[in-house]
Amino acid sequence: MNPHSTPAPAPALAVPAGEVDSRAAYLSFTLAYVIGHGTAALSKGADPLVSLPAWLPIALFVAGLVSALVLGVHAGIRSQQGASESRKQAEKLLGIAWCTAFTALFLAITGLTRTIDQPGLQDMLWAAGSVLIVGLMNIAEGTARHINLHYVLGSWLALVGAASLFTTDILGVYTVLAVAGGGGYAVATVLEHRRLAALSTAAAH
């Protein structure tokens, strides 16, 4: 064997038909939470560690969030190839539910902040509320798709989003979401690869 030969690259993971590959979406959510909420945590509060334009952390988070949602929808559509009509109908309803959930969150936060005049309340509610909504939607998707990992991740995110409000200030909320939310997605990215690899191996035998 030539000692200078280049090792053959590992074969690409073959995702079984009908399975949702959420690795790209999970990774995008990880970056959105860690970078978006992380920069917000560093630049918020009475004595911020860094000085950043107020719009930058929001823009970074929204960019990551939109990318993750698009990748998640794409993965769901790919998994429907050859699927039954009931499965396709369930995926369509889940897609509509995402829109409904965030519209409801917008209405709730808008109404509440108009009633309660408290500076920073809207930022806190949007940060924590969006994680809560994503978590609840992941629970619904995990149930419909019979994916335990997605269900457990959704449960974790829902609890993290709600619990972050106990920190009582915007700095604490962003810190909890960046660490616990982003960390949860990072772990899920690794476990998703292992889940798909196990399914691929089982299908090959």
Side-chain angles (χ1 to χ4, degrees), residues 110-152:
T110 302
L112 186 60
T113 52
R114 285 186 176 182
T115 304
I116 302 175
D117 185 15
Q118 181 177 335
L121 178 61
Q122 190 172 46
D123 287 346
M124 290 178 62
L125 293 179
W126 267 114
S130 62
V131 177
L132 175 62
I133 291 298
V134 170
L136 293 176
M137 286 305 306
N138 280 5
I139 291 175
E141 289 181 340
T143 302
R145 297 168 179 171
H146 307 289
I147 301 177
N148 292 337
L149 173 59
H150 207 62
Y151 183 94
V152 172

Side-chain angles (χ1 to χ4, degrees), residues 19-22 24-25 66-81 87 91 141 145:
E19 283 295 328
V20 180
D21 181 359
S22 297
V66 171
S67 298
L69 292 176
V70 170
L71 289 169
V73 170
H74 180 65
I77 292 174
R78 288 188 61 186
S79 70
Q80 295 179 47
Q81 297 178 0
R87 168 67 185 276
E91 291 291 337
E141 289 181 340
R145 297 168 179 171

Side-chain angles (χ1 to χ4, degrees), residues 10-16 21 23 192-201:
L13 176 62
V15 179
D21 181 359
R23 289 174 297 173
E192 176 72 346
H193 182 83
R194 293 181 180 179
R195 182 184 75 86
L196 294 172
L199 291 173
S200 178
T201 301

